[in-house]
Amino acid sequence: MKTATEKMNEEGCHENEKKADRRLARKIAWATMPYFCAVYCIQFIDKFILNYSAVLGLLEDIHLTGTQFSWAGSIFFVGFVGIQIFNQYFLQRVPIAKYLGALTIFWGISVGCTALVSNFPQLAGLRFLVGFFEGSTYTCICLLIGMFFRRKEQVLWLGVLMMVNFVGMAVSGLFGYAIGYMDGLQGLSAWQWLMIIWGSVTTLLGITLFLFLPDTTKSRFFRLTPQEDRLMDERIRDNATVRSDKISFAHIREAIKEPQYYCYIIANTLMSLKIACSTTFSSQMIRGMGFSNLNSVLLNIPIAVVTMLLIALGLYLNRRFQQLFYVIILLTFITLTGLILLCALPNGPIQLLGIYLCNPAPASTIVQASVVNNVVGYTKKTFYLGSLMACYSLGNFIGPLMMLEREAPRYYSGLTGFIIADVVCCCLYVTIRWIYRRENLRRQKMDRDGMLPPIPENREELDLTDREDLHFYYRL
C-alpha cells in the first residue's frame, strides 16, 4: 500500500513530465513550423500566380486562348502526379529535408523562368516542371508532422498550415494588386515581375530548407536534453510512426486491399475538382461579375479570410467533439452550399458569397489529419499520402477542363458537376467512418475477451501497420 507521500511524489513526477512534454512540443514547433508555414504559404501563392497573371497581361502578351489557359492550369497537376511515382522511393532513401530543399530550389527556378515564355508550349512546359518539383511538399511535411507530433497535436498543426495557405492567398492578392502598377517597368509586363519575384523567394526558401530543416526525431536542431530525448521516444510510440529506409511492399499490398483506401482516393479526386472555382478561375469569374481587372485580383482576398475562418471552425469542432468525419461532412456541406449559390444567384456582385464559400480546403484539412492519424506504417503512410496527392492532382487537372469557355462567366456545367461530386464525397466519408468504427469495436471486444496479444516491448521499432497493431485504435 502506497503512502500519501508516495502518491503525492508520483503525481508531482507525472505533472513534471507533462510540463516537460509541453516544452518539448514548443521546441519542436519552433524548430519546424516556421519552415513548414513558409513552404505552405509560397506553394499556395504559386497556385495563384497563373490566376493573377491572366488579368495582368499574360493572355494578351503570349496570345493565349481561354482553352489554352485552362490547359495551362491543368498541366501543372500532370507534373504534380508525376513526382508521386518517385516520392515512394526517395522519401525512404534520402533525408527528407535535403529532398524537399532540393526540389524547392528547382521549383523556384522554374517559376522564375516562366517570365521568359512567349507562347503556349513554353508556358505549358514550365507549368509542368513547377508542378513536378512542387508536388512533394505536402507529402514531405505530413510525414514530418506525423513523426514529430503526437496524434492529438497533428490535427491542430495541419489546420494551422492550411490556414497559412490562405494567409499566402491574402498576401498574394495584395502583392498582385501592387505588382499591377509595375507594368512596363524595365520593359517587363506586370505578370513577368510576378514570376521573377516569387521565383527568387522560392529558391531562397529551398536553400534554407536544405541547410536547416530537421528531419529526424533526434536532430541536432532540436537540442534535446536527456529527459527530452526520452520523451521523444514516447512521442514515437504515441504516433506510431517509425521512419524506415526500406520500402515494405507488404505495406503497399495491405493498403490496396483496404476499402477505405479507395474511398479516400475517390473522395480526394472529387473534392479537388472545385478548386478551379477558387484558384485558377476565381479572378475571371469575379471580373465577369462586373469588377475591373485589378479589383478582381483584390477581391480574392476575402476567399482567404472566409476559408481561414472555416478551417478554424473545423479545428474547434474537432477539438470539442473529437469527431473527425462528422466535421469533414459538415465542412463539405458548406462548400456545397457555396456552389449552389453560384448557380442560383443572378450574375453580379452577390455571387461573391458563393465564391467565398466553395473552397474545399477546410474539409481537406481534416481529411489529411484523418490519414496522418489513422494510417500507420512508414511505407503504408507514404503510399496513402502519395496516392492522395496524385488524386488531388487528378482532380485539379480535370476541374479546369470542366469550366467550358463557351459558358463563361457562369460555368453551369462545371458547377453542376462539382455539386454532384460533393454529395458523393459525403457518402464516402460516412463509409470510411463506418469501416473504422467497426474495426474499433472488434478490437475492443478482443480486448474484453482477453484475445489481444501482449504489446511488444520494442513496438516503436517494428514499423507495424494500423492493421498489424491490434492495440491501435482509429480516430473517428
Side-chain angles (χ1 to χ4, degrees):
M1 187 79 177
K2 293 181 180 179
T3 65
T5 303
E6 288 173 333
K7 288 182 179 179
M8 288 177 65
N9 287 338
E10 283 187 3
E11 290 174 2
C13 289
H14 182 65
E15 186 61 32
N16 287 336
E17 289 278 297
K18 288 173 66 176
K19 289 180 179 178
D21 191 58
R22 287 195 291 268
R23 285 196 300 271
L24 175 58
R26 288 194 294 270
K27 182 181 283 190
I28 293 169
W30 278 112
T32 59
M33 290 307 297
Y35 299 119
F36 296 164
C37 289
V39 172
Y40 263 63
C41 183
I42 290 178
Q43 67 85 25
F44 206 72
I45 288 172
D46 179 65
K47 288 183 176 61
F48 273 81
I49 286 177
L50 189 65
N51 181 0
Y52 298 151
S53 295
V55 295
L56 292 177
L58 173 68
L59 302 181
E60 296 79 10
D61 284 0
I62 67 171
H63 311 294
L64 281 187
T65 65
T67 301
Q68 287 175 330
F69 181 78
S70 295
W71 275 103
S74 294
I75 201 73
F76 171 94
F77 293 99
V78 176
F80 211 93
V81 171
I83 191 65
Q84 307 309 324
I85 300 168
F86 302 97
N87 277 346
Q88 188 71 50
Y89 177 83
F90 284 109
L91 285 173
Q92 296 196 239
R93 297 300 179 90
V94 179
I96 295 179
K98 307 303 181 191
Y99 182 60
L100 178 60
L103 288 177
T104 304
I105 292 169
F106 291 125
W107 157 24
I109 292 170
S110 300
V111 171
C113 288
T114 307
L116 303 175
V117 303
S118 59
N119 54 51
F120 171 68
Q122 293 174 358
L123 176 64
L126 281 166
R127 290 305 293 172
F128 173 87
L129 289 177
V130 172
F132 185 86
F133 294 127
E134 185 183 325
S136 196
T137 54
Y138 283 119
T139 306
C140 289
I141 290 174
C142 284
L143 285 172
L144 290 174
I145 286 178
M147 187 187 305
F148 297 143
F149 294 101
R150 294 185 184 274
R151 293 174 74 199
K152 65 183 179 181
E153 300 165 348
Q154 290 167 9
V155 179
L156 171 64
W157 288 119
L158 285 169
V160 168
L161 287 175
M162 194 60 76
M163 292 175 72
V164 167
N165 262 344
F166 293 94
V167 170
M169 181 177 172
V171 169
S172 70
L174 292 170
F175 194 79
Y177 184 82
I179 282 185
Y181 291 98
M182 294 177 66
D183 192 45
L185 185 65
Q186 299 296 317
L188 298 176
S189 297
W191 67 269
Q192 291 175 300
W193 281 113
L194 199 63
M195 301 296 180
I196 291 169
I197 292 171
W198 284 116
S200 302
V201 170
T202 305
T203 303
L204 289 174
L205 174 63
I207 295 169
T208 305
L209 294 172
F210 191 91
L211 295 175
F212 301 113
L213 176 64
D215 57 6
T216 65
T217 52
K218 303 301 175 69
S219 170
R220 62 189 175 89
F221 295 112
F222 290 138
R223 303 184 303 281
L224 299 176
T225 64
Q227 182 187 32
E228 289 170 342
D229 190 280
R230 181 172 51 78
L231 288 171
M232 188 66 88
D233 290 334
E234 289 184 13
R235 284 177 167 266
I236 295 172
R237 286 191 289 272
D238 178 68
N239 60 34
T241 298
V242 181
R243 191 177 190 278
S244 172
D245 60 1
K246 296 179 180 178
I247 297 175
S248 173
F249 291 100
H251 285 197
I252 296 174
R253 286 194 297 270
E254 179 178 297
I256 61 179
K257 290 178 181 178
E258 294 177 338
Q260 64 266 32
Y261 170 76
Y262 297 98
C263 291
Y264 269 124
I265 62 176
I266 294 169
N268 219 47
T269 303
L270 297 176
M271 178 188 289
S272 303
L273 294 174
K274 58 185 170 290
I275 292 177
C277 286
S278 52
T279 55
T280 308
F281 282 85
S282 62
S283 292
Q284 294 181 77
M285 292 174 74
I286 292 171
R287 183 170 60 180
M289 297 172 194
F291 297 98
S292 69
N293 284 353
L294 287 179
N295 283 338
S296 66
V297 171
L298 204 58
L299 285 168
N300 277 276
I301 295 173
I303 298 177
V305 176
V306 172
T307 304
M308 285 190 287
L309 291 174
L310 289 175
I311 292 171
L313 173 65
L315 293 176
Y316 168 76
L317 292 175
N318 176 67
R319 190 177 183 86
R320 174 71 176 79
F321 299 106
Q322 296 296 308
Q323 293 290 336
L324 282 169
F325 288 96
Y326 288 152
V327 173
I328 291 169
I329 292 166
L330 172 64
L331 294 173
T332 303
F333 268 113
I334 292 174
T335 63
L336 177 62
T337 302
L339 292 168
I340 292 171
L341 290 175
L342 275 174
C343 283
L345 293 174
N347 192 46
I350 189 66
Q351 282 186 295
L352 287 171
L353 183 60
I355 286 272
Y356 294 157
L357 290 177
C358 73
N359 196 297
S364 179
T365 302
I366 312 300
V367 170
Q368 279 188 33
S370 75
V371 172
V372 174
N373 275 192
N374 290 325
V375 179
V376 178
Y378 194 78
T379 298
K380 185 178 180 181
K381 182 174 287 189
T382 305
F383 181 73
Y384 255 83
L385 290 170
S387 299
L388 289 187
M389 288 302 102
C391 292
Y392 166 82
S393 306
L394 179 62
N396 275 275
F397 176 80
I398 297 170
L401 301 179
M402 294 171 67
M403 308 287 273
L404 304 177
E405 183 179 3
R406 66 175 182 271
E407 294 184 351
R410 298 305 300 260
Y411 302 107
Y412 281 120
S413 298
L415 294 175
T416 303
F418 303 155
I419 290 169
I420 295 169
D422 269 0
V423 174
V424 175
C425 283
C426 289
C427 297
L428 292 169
Y429 296 136
V430 170
T431 303
I432 296 171
R433 189 184 188 280
W434 176 78
I435 292 169
Y436 282 155
R437 183 173 182 274
R438 183 184 62 175
E439 182 60 22
N440 281 351
L441 292 173
R442 186 180 76 87
R443 294 182 184 191
Q444 288 170 3
K445 184 177 185 302
M446 290 177 67
D447 191 21
R448 287 195 304 269
D449 296 343
M451 297 174 63
L452 285 182
I455 300 175
E457 292 184 4
N458 60 338
R459 180 188 181 194
E460 67 274 15
E461 300 173 5
L462 295 177
D463 194 23
L464 298 173
T465 68
D466 50 281
R467 294 191 68 82
E468 293 169 337
D469 185 359
L470 296 176
H471 294 274
F472 179 87
Y473 285 92
Y474 297 102
R475 295 193 67 198
L476 304 178

